[in-house]
């Protein structure tokens, strides 16, 4: 069996996550049992939620165990199979973790999913046509549920979730406004992703200033907001929400290092009669088929052209991940393993 | 026509509301036109929402106009009628405002409602079987929507909304836990209102301490929370919410004077996948008949025995209202006018 380089969580961050929280090791992949397949990972997905799991805190998911392979989504190819369900050469996505190979029990529901790479590149199954895309779909369709002509806003607009959100919102006839960091991302959001406008939050020192820019970009107010960030951005959005607006709370990356991240004026939820709802897409598996179908069509027809930041080699994963947490990525952050 | 004492909003509060914001005047009631009735108010309702309307701020309702009679709910008796819909002697509730008499256009939908005082005392139509009761009903039934056996919590538990909430929750097989200020109120909540437990927030200096008391009173966590207060109480409740919990945001009286009232850890909405929803009961008139029917039955059968604080005479309204804002009332705050 091949030698398998792996990245483990070595120790938990105190405050900001750092490269020394991780450790690179190598082990032999075990011989396959009946019903198992060996997958060679082509791409590793890096996602903000992983930072939360590095903490040993009460949350929706159990913390990432210390001394074990970092968990995460992977896309790859079956190289050996002792299951009738998979053949060598099959392209598959799963939760293989930060390693070159994984051994998967093919009978475990949802552990491994065959994908068709005819019209959709393999890596996109970790982004627009995968968990981040379905996350955007759920927040938009099931929580915000906008009518055509309404205004929806998303933070981290050029990320994997944000770019899918923009395409899905435009497909529903909404005005889609993004918030992103820096002129390049904002230009890309409008020119390539189809956002009607994009606000560079880095140009704004405080929530009041950002809120003013939102007022200009959303002359009819905001009906739905998809939150990936938290903190100042949420404070800036809240006063712009229309009555009966909906806020899908998906991520609060600004608070992942444990610093306090208060909401300054929660009374606006009352005065504007808002609905604020937190969700985790893995708890809503029932929507995945419908969502993936729409997302796959958007990508295959060129209506969603997600951008990727691709780091090369497993050993680059920690630095790429730390960059993602600081917004250094541009689009979906991947690690290419072969 | 009789002389009509009235209380106007003379000037807006800067910070805390004070008695000199109001002014007592007297005017003659105009002669009735066809279709109008003259109502003599027996009771004036004092409610926390009135404080918000004293500010000249963007909110769900237009501000209370300066120099005009303070708006508010009233219960009284028709003393003269030029409408076939009402007869002298009819007991009615309406929005007559802070004055002894009001002239009402009987054809205006919802302006005046005849009530039956056989089993329900007239004053209760301003409380448990009126707007506050329906407010509790909407938050519990339409937003929190608890299952039997779940734990629900309400702040300002002995107030008009809170006491109705407790009875409605018990009728649905919930564990009902109240939060109130002082040992007398807490004893009353448990002994008379049927709450399973009631926490005296005045015994707790900070959110962490109050949160610990909530943990003891809610051993299975909190599935639904009805918020009347905001601030420290909301901060204390949020960490105790179970996954998929619902928070009905009805009032944030702690912030009515304009001081900042941040929510310390909004990320808990995400990690606990909560739904937080603000609402205003007057925007959901479709539920009133069903809600009033249940509330009337609870009162008529003695299952809801709401307490009242009754101030005597129109001139006592400002001080009684300021006391309500400080929690000095015990149960529904009314002003008796005759």
């Amino acid at each position: 069996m091949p030698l398998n380089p792996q990245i483990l969580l070595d120790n938990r961050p105190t405050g900001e996550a750092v490269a020394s929280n991780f450790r690179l090791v190598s082990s032999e992949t075990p011989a396959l049992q009946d019903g198992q397949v060996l997958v060679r990972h082509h791409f590793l997905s890096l996602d903000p939620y992983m930072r939360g799991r590095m903490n040993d805190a009460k949350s929706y998911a159990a913390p990432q165990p210390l001394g074990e392979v970092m968990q995460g989504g992977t896309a790859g190819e079956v190289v050996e199979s002792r299951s009738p369900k998979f053949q060598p050469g099959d392209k598959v996505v799963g939760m293989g973790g930060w390693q070159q190979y994984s051994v998967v029990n093919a009978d475990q529901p949802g552990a491994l999913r065959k994908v068709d790479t005819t019209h959709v590149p393999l890596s996109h199954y970790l982004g627009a046509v995968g968990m981040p895309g379905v996350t955007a779909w759920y927040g938009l369709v099931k929580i915000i549920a906008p009518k055509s002509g309404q205004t929806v806003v998303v933070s981290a607009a050029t990320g994997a979730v944000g770019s899918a959100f923009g395409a899905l919102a435009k497909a529903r006839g909404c005005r889609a406004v993004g918030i992103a960091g820096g002129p390049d991302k904002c230009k890309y959001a409008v020119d390539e992703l189809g956002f009607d406008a994009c606000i560079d939050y880095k140009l704004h020192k405080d929530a009041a200033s950002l809120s003013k820019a939102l007022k200009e970009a959303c002359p009819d107010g905001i009906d739905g907001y998809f939150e990936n960030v938290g903190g100042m951005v949420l404070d800036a959005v809240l006063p712009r929400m229309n009555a009966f607006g909906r806020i899908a709370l998906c991520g609060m990356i600004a608070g992942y290092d444990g610093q306090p991240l208060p909401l300054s004026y929660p009374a606006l939820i009352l005065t504007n009669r808002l609905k604020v709802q937190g969700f985790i897409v893995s708890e809503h598996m029932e929507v995945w088929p419908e969502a993936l179908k729409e997302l796959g069509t958007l990508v295959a027809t060129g209506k969603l052209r997600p951008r990727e930041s691709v780091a090369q080699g497993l050993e680059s994963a920690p630095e790429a991940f730390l960059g993602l947490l600081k917004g250094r990525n541009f689009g979906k952050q991947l690690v290419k393993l072969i």
Side-chain angles (χ1 to χ4, degrees), chain A:
Chain A
M1 302 298 287
L3 205 65
N4 187 20
Q6 304 174 309
I7 290 178
L8 316 181
L9 180 64
D10 186 66
N11 55 82
R12 301 195 188 280
T14 52
E16 200 171 307
V18 292
S20 61
N21 297 136
F22 305 97
R23 182 157 51 97
L24 180 67
V25 300
S26 200
S27 70
E28 280 193 30
T29 55
L32 294 190
Q33 311 284 318
D34 270 350
Q36 290 186 329
V37 301
L38 180 68
V39 180
R40 185 177 189 189
H41 303 148
H42 292 203
F43 293 99
L44 166 61
S45 176
L46 297 180
D47 300 277
Y49 77 84
M50 296 167 169
R51 174 63 188 86
R53 303 199 57 207
M54 291 171 73
N55 294 337
D56 190 13
K58 185 202 167 201
S59 189
Y60 42 84
Q64 161 76 39
L66 279 179
E68 292 189 15
V69 175
M70 279 291 291
Q71 296 158 355
T74 45
E77 184 176 348
V78 172
V79 290
E80 196 185 331
S81 176
R82 290 187 62 181
S83 162
K85 297 179 177 168
F86 293 94
Q87 304 302 321
D90 284 349
K91 297 293 191 294
V92 289
V93 294
M95 288 292 289
W98 295 23
Q99 54 186 342
Q100 182 66 68
Y101 292 93
S102 62
V103 173
V104 182
N105 292 312
D107 291 328
Q108 189 186 320
L112 211 58
R113 185 166 59 93
K114 233 181 283 193
V115 296
D116 181 352
T117 54
T118 317
H119 301 291
V120 175
L122 179 62
S123 60
H124 285 11
Y125 287 104
L126 296 175
V129 195
M131 184 274 286
V134 180
T135 299
W137 192 96
Y138 189 88
L140 181 72
V141 176
K142 293 295 181 179
I143 295 178
I144 296 174
K147 296 196 179 96
S148 175
Q150 289 193 328
T151 298
V152 297
V153 174
V154 62
S155 53
T158 62
V161 176
S163 42
F165 184 91
L168 292 166
K170 291 311 296 175
R172 283 161 179 74
C174 296
R175 177 172 176 82
V177 174
I179 301 171
D184 291 351
K185 287 184 180 176
C186 284
K187 186 174 180 344
Y188 167 72
V190 172
D191 292 351
E192 297 292 322
L193 292 175
F195 281 93
D196 295 289
C198 187
I199 296 167
D200 179 0
Y201 72 83
K202 291 185 174 174
L203 296 179
H204 300 278
K205 272 192 180 170
D206 55 29
S209 170
L210 180 56
S211 199
K212 200 165 161 246
L214 277 164
K215 190 175 189 175
E216 282 162 27
C218 307
D220 298 326
I222 302 172
D223 300 294
Y225 176 54
F226 190 105
E227 177 60 292
N228 288 307
V229 172
M232 179 183 109
V233 178
L234 185 53
D235 274 343
V237 167
L238 219 49
R240 299 291 160 228
M241 294 296 297
N242 289 328
F244 310 110
R246 292 79 63 194
I247 296 180
L249 216 58
C250 168
M252 298 191 87
I253 197 171
Y256 282 0
D257 290 342
Q259 67 277 42
L261 199 71
L263 180 64
S264 297
Y265 299 102
L268 290 167
I269 301 172
L270 168 57
T271 51
N272 292 331
R273 291 88 87 207
L274 306 180
K275 182 178 77 173
V276 181
Q277 190 161 357
F279 77 102
I280 295 163
V281 73
S282 55
E283 292 177 334
H284 304 280
M285 294 312 293
E286 73 285 357
V287 309
W288 282 58
E290 182 185 355
L292 288 174
K293 191 178 165 189
E294 179 176 358
L295 292 157
T297 303
L298 284 172
V299 168
T301 57
K303 286 179 183 157
L304 171 53
R305 293 186 301 273
R307 182 154 169 168
E308 297 173 338
S309 284
V310 183
Q312 189 61 44
L314 183 70
E315 66 284 2
S316 68
E319 284 300 342
F321 177 64
L322 300 176
L324 167 74
L325 295 178
K326 294 190 177 304
R328 288 200 201 111
N329 61 309
F330 196 149
K332 172 70 194 175
Q333 181 66 56
L334 298 165
V335 180
K336 195 167 190 310
L337 299 180
I338 64 169

